Amino acid sequence: MLLHGFPETNFAWRFQIPALAPRYRVIAPDLRGYGETDKPASGYDKRTMANDIVELLKVLGIGRVALVGHDRGARVATRLVKDHPDLVDRLVVMDNVPTRIVAREMKAKVAREYWFFMFHQIPDLPEALIAGREDIWLRHFFSDWCHDPSTITGEAFETYVKAYRAPGAVRGAMADYRASAEDVAQDLEDADKKIKCPVLSLWGQDFGAVGRLFDMKAIWSEMAENLTAAPIERCGHLPQEEQPEAVNRLLLGFLNGWNG
């Protein structure tokens, strides 16, 4: 189960699906509010978004998964494994600092890197400023967040622009961020409960808001009992798109021996 992050949709996994599909059944949904999902007015706290995935598993008749989450999808995945540990055999979190830790460390240096956390939470203003300029907004993130600013260009970039120009798409992404206070409250409820299943944390070494700013191995050691940590060189925030071969190699190695 592959859960994308911001500013992406499930299109982000286009390099992983062909590598994983010969061995595993691969499911890569759009998260609530993103891509081709509905854009409801509420329900963007990570417990509700995790329950979306739980209900999807029920419909598909799947009892246990290997769960992979990037960025916002890693927040959903982390909440899912804490609320429903019986459903997750192993967990991969990609380029993600847990929400409560971002909040805990929110000093000037962190705030400069996480400015968009605050901007996206302002009611209505982001939607008003971004409307008709989705390409400018997305171009900033894809260029600034990648080690190679030209990683997401051409047809791939236009695919994302089209997705975020759909009615309600920007509002859905903003609603995800606007749930941050509720997300932190949920995370604090079980902050002392470590994840028991095997966890792989991987991240881009060159992203200013994650690999360059935080000790990622220490952070995820605080979160998980059984941790493998893997920084990826020459990589920013989008490892699955920037360094897909390295990511696929790490995923297949971590999944080795798991038969579903």
Side-chain angles (χ1 to χ4, degrees):
M1 177 72 76
L2 309 177
L3 305 181
H4 68 86
F6 173 87
E8 297 165 304
T9 66
N10 67 358
F11 181 70
W13 302 114
R14 62 196 178 280
F15 300 117
Q16 283 65 55
I17 292 170
L20 296 170
R23 302 188 191 183
Y24 306 103
R25 182 182 184 185
V26 182
I27 302 163
D30 285 323
L31 296 174
R32 172 183 293 242
Y34 289 89
E36 296 187 26
T37 64
D38 290 340
K39 316 294 190 290
S42 61
Y44 292 88
D45 65 281
K46 298 308 157 289
R47 176 161 286 137
T48 301
M49 292 178 77
N51 285 337
D52 289 340
I53 305 304
V54 172
E55 292 303 314
L56 176 59
L57 292 175
K58 288 180 182 177
V59 169
L60 295 174
I62 297 171
R64 197 166 174 84
V65 297
L67 188 59
V68 180
H70 169 250
D71 182 73
R72 311 302 295 181
R75 302 177 197 283
V76 176
T78 301
R79 179 45 46 201
L80 194 158
V81 74
K82 284 204 164 190
D83 287 352
H84 307 277
D86 55 311
L87 294 181
V88 183
D89 186 88
R90 56 194 71 191
L91 172 68
V92 181
V93 286
M94 296 175 54
D95 214 75
N96 173 249
V97 180
T99 309
R100 69 173 176 84
I101 294 177
V102 173
R104 185 182 74 192
E105 303 298 325
M106 190 57 77
K107 303 175 181 67
K109 187 176 181 180
V110 174
R112 278 195 296 271
E113 294 291 345
Y114 284 81
W115 64 269
F116 59 96
F117 263 50
M118 280 64 80
F119 173 62
H120 288 170
Q121 291 183 55
I122 300 171
D124 301 326
L125 181 63
E127 292 93 325
L129 294 176
I130 293 165
R133 305 179 185 89
E134 293 85 359
D135 56 331
I136 299 172
W137 175 63
L138 290 171
R139 185 69 273 157
H140 167 79
F141 290 116
F142 284 129
S143 294
D144 187 59
W145 287 1
C146 290
H147 177 65
D148 176 358
S150 65
T151 297
I152 312 296
T153 54
E155 185 178 351
F157 179 67
E158 293 304 321
T159 297
Y160 286 123
V161 172
K162 181 180 178 181
Y164 281 93
R165 282 181 173 160
V170 172
R171 175 176 52 79
M174 299 303 94
D176 182 8
Y177 283 91
R178 288 167 188 158
S180 290
E182 194 171 356
D183 293 341
V184 171
Q186 292 173 0
D187 288 351
L188 289 174
E189 291 172 4
D190 55 11
D192 60 342
K193 184 172 74 174
K194 284 194 173 186
I195 298 166
K196 295 186 182 300
C197 73
V199 175
L200 168 64
S201 174
L202 60 88
W203 64 91
Q205 279 191 336
D206 301 299
F207 184 40
V210 177
R212 289 182 177 175
L213 189 60
F214 290 97
D215 183 337
M216 291 299 287
K217 185 175 181 180
I219 283 173
W220 278 96
S221 293
E222 181 181 333
M223 298 288 295
E225 291 183 355
N226 183 357
L227 176 70
T228 302
I232 299 177
E233 296 179 348
R234 298 181 301 282
C235 187
H237 183 50
L238 311 175
Q240 72 275 36
E241 299 200 61
E242 294 183 79
Q243 297 289 352
E245 291 183 4
V247 168
N248 292 349
R249 187 166 55 250
L250 285 165
L251 290 178
L252 288 169
F254 186 63
L255 292 171
N256 188 41
W258 181 67
N259 296 315

